[in-house]
């Protein structure tokens, strides 16, 4: 289902000659993944994940793949890209930019426990610390400028109450700046489906293709908005507290970050609300996306507005 | 027994704060290893091997650790060094240069099968190919200049027949040059105890602290001299053939290499014969070495002289 590009055994075998990974034994498409094509590839040396990028260009990949390599080298749980004999992490296969990464164990969880939230929070802090020595930079393309512009394009199509809330939230965020907060490499999409867990242990963060340089607190807010969200759309105090306690066990938040936290939770919800509204009201024809319901993020925003407990301990 | 430097729980815990590896759970000394102190270290994130270097200085480590990192990044089976928050692979612990590497599964084998020899040969070829893009250089300190000099110092102490054979072999090697053969990064010590195996699969090459830039064929000869050697000291044709077939499945030898192979087997035996003679007759007081019997390498040299089968297929 998410094998958009079919790879033949012959072409894969040929391509693998460029790597130090031995001979191809077997390969099979992976059903998960929305944007890219993924295969499990088994060689005489081990098991790897092959990704064929359906939208990213070859020259856009070095930031993401070098970042994953940097983080893996620092012991942060994530797939390690494999370099080929020309010392490249990616090259063309079946006409698409393609890479191989180490294969992690574990599965994603839809209903995390407090212990799992704590472990994810702690690993996110480790990721933020390890990212400090990563030399490349990537601007966040989905910041305030993007959401303001996108909202302008959406207003004519939106129901009045939706448009009103959206305008209010954007106006609210316009009144706040975060430039004084610690910044660095952020994952920017650390939802539950982007973390593989082995029980309470993090097997790996995956899907780094929204990673960029931005405010660290923003990354935490994106993650808490998802990891602590119950099926009824409300945030669970115990899960949110566990996530933040895990994070702060490795990187305690500064007073400036604590002060901005309530506003940042709304900024993180706004970003995903806007992109989901865009997917729903302005779908790009031919683009491979699942359209997810934007309403969950509006509900989250409204709840954040009147929240009194912010779990910072 | 090979824990020469004792590390306290407090100092290890403190030192681990410089890494993204979570909290210390447990650590224990490893009995194997001759030169350095090794510990298994278990943290909330996983299991690692800690090495405290007893003879190498901190400024000598970057070549070896960057090489292991480079090879691991290319999918060559070996421990991957973990970088700390300052992006260093090594720093001082308990007064010694120390590093953490990923913990491999598998064990070394004293009596390898042909399939295992084949797998080691193939991985060695992969290592040689992956080493081609490694940018650092290290001169081999134990080349012809070293063995000639060392032999000069040893002659007065050696029994006549030993001294005679040694002089003959050094004279023989003086008449041959290998500068025209392919060179690159070599392990230079790929004996059976430096490879961890999981059945017939290579879990990892270890102990890269003799690695350097030299003739690739020399590395193969060092390995075949050990991997194919039976308990009676003779080389086993089937094991040697399997090793070379595995190697050549990934990097077929050139005609120039095939021509030099019989001489190279003697060069590789000579190098270890000389260092074992040195360990025996000129032990460095206080240095931590097992003295191994030099006689095996003399026997090997004499056998190589009259060998007719060289397993190149």
């Amino acid at each position: 289902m998410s094998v958009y590009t079919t790879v033949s055994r012959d072409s894969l075998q040929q391509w693998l000659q460029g790597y130090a990974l031995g001979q191809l034994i077997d390969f099979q498409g992976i059903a998960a993944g929305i944007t890219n094509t993924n295969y499990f590839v088994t060689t005489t040396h081990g098991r790897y994940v092959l990704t064929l990028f359906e939208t990213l260009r070859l020259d856009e990949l070095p930031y993401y793949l070098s970042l994953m390599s940097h983080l893996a080298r620092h012991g942060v749980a994530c797939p390690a890209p494999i370099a080929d004999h020309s010392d490249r992490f990616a090259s063309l296969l079946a006409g698409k930019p393609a890479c191989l990464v180490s294969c992690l164990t574990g599965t994603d969880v839809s209903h995390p426990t407090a212990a799992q939230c704590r472990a994810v929070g702690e690993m996110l802090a480790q990721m933020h610390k390890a990212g400090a020595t990563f030399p490349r930079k990537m601007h966040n393309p989905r910041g305030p400028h993007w959401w303001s512009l996108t909202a302008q394009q959406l207003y004519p199509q939106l129901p009045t109450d939706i448009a009103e809330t959206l305008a209010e939230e954007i106006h609210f965020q316009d009144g706040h700046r975060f430039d004084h907060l610690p910044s660095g490499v952020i994952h920017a999409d650390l939802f539950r489906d982007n973390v593989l867990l082995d029980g309470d242990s993090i097997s790996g963060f995956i899907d780094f293709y929204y990673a960029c340089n931005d405010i660290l607190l923003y990354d935490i807010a994106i993650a808490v908005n998802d990891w602590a969200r119950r099926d009824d759309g409300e945030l669970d105090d115990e899960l949110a507290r566990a996530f933040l306690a895990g994070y702060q066990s490795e990187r305690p938040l500064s007073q400036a970050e604590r002060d901005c936290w309530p506003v940042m939770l709304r900024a993180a919800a706004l970003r995903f609300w806007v992109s989901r509204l865009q997917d729903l009201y302005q779908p790009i024809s031919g683009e491979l996306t699942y359209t997810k319901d934007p309403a969950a993020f509006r509900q989250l925003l409204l709840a954040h507005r009147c929240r009194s407990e912010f779990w910072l301990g």
Side-chain angles (χ1 to χ4, degrees), chain A:
Chain A
M1 198 173 98
S2 42
V3 173
Y4 306 111
T5 302
T6 304
V7 177
S8 72
R9 191 175 182 91
D10 277 359
S11 62
L12 180 55
Q13 223 152 14
Q14 182 62 33
W15 190 71
L16 282 171
Q17 293 311 305
Y19 287 84
L21 301 178
Q23 299 307 309
L24 179 63
I25 294 175
D26 194 27
F27 69 112
Q28 54 183 80
I30 302 175
I34 297 173
T35 320
N36 299 316
T37 294
N38 293 295
Y39 284 90
F40 286 123
V41 171
T42 307
T43 74
T44 44
H45 289 198
R47 200 159 184 241
Y48 309 91
V49 173
L50 165 69
T51 299
L52 297 144
F53 295 92
E54 302 292 340
T55 54
L56 284 169
R57 295 189 317 269
L58 194 56
D59 64 354
E60 292 174 311
L61 290 175
Y63 176 84
Y64 308 110
L65 297 175
S66 304
L67 173 60
M68 290 159 71
S69 182
H70 176 91
L71 294 174
R73 201 158 55 81
H74 283 75
V76 174
C78 70
I82 313 286
D84 68 13
H85 287 317
S86 306
D87 219 5
R88 301 170 303 180
F89 284 135
S91 59
L92 293 179
L93 172 62
K96 299 282 166 68
C99 76
L100 283 168
V101 301
S102 59
C103 186
L104 304 175
T105 56
T107 50
D108 57 345
V109 295
S110 53
H111 295 86
T113 64
Q116 290 170 332
C117 285
R118 192 189 156 87
V120 175
E122 192 238 303
M123 188 64 83
L124 183 61
Q126 301 279 19
M127 194 200 106
H128 287 167
K129 285 162 78 176
T133 49
F134 184 61
R136 295 174 190 248
K137 304 280 172 220
M138 174 73 76
H139 169 72
N140 185 354
R142 304 205 170 191
H145 182 70
W146 166 82
W147 69 46
S148 298
L149 209 71
T150 307
Q152 289 300 333
Q153 296 162 352
L154 285 168
Y155 287 139
Q157 291 175 267
L158 297 179
T160 316
D161 60 328
I162 303 275
E164 222 163 71
T165 314
L166 182 56
E168 281 166 17
E169 283 300 318
I170 287 172
H171 179 71
F172 174 76
Q173 291 296 335
D174 282 347
H176 292 86
R177 295 190 65 89
F178 305 121
D179 300 349
H180 59 302
L181 301 183
S183 64
V185 173
I186 70 168
H187 183 284
D189 193 30
L190 198 65
F191 283 49
R192 281 165 281 182
D193 53 356
N194 284 333
V195 177
L196 300 180
L197 283 144
D198 259 334
D200 292 345
S201 291
I202 311 294
S203 165
F205 290 178
I206 59 172
D207 210 348
F208 280 79
Y209 306 110
Y210 288 101
C212 56
N213 291 76
D214 208 335
I215 308 300
L216 303 181
L217 194 70
Y218 179 56
D219 214 14
I220 312 173
I222 290 171
V224 167
N225 275 343
D226 189 69
W227 282 85
R229 197 163 70 233
R230 298 193 307 240
D231 286 346
D232 65 5
E234 295 300 312
L235 288 202
D236 183 292
D237 288 334
E238 189 198 355
L239 297 183
R241 259 196 302 269
F243 192 105
L244 287 160
Y247 188 92
Q248 294 199 90
S249 74
E250 281 299 329
R251 197 181 82 80
L253 297 179
S254 67
Q255 191 54 52
E257 288 178 302
R258 298 169 71 93
D259 293 343
C260 289
W261 177 239
V263 184
M264 193 60 95
L265 282 166
R266 284 169 67 174
L270 176 61
R271 176 254 176 271
F272 286 93
W273 189 30
V274 171
S275 65
R276 289 201 178 174
L277 287 170
Q278 187 180 35
D279 291 344
L280 186 64
Y281 288 98
Q282 304 185 332
I284 296 169
S285 72
E287 195 170 79
L288 306 153
T289 51
Y290 285 117
T291 304
K292 290 181 181 168
D293 185 10
F297 284 97
R298 182 177 183 231
Q299 183 188 351
L300 197 59
L301 275 167
L302 297 176
H304 282 330
R305 286 187 186 181
C306 45
R307 191 174 303 287
S308 60
E309 153 76 57
F310 287 97
W311 326 290
L312 289 175

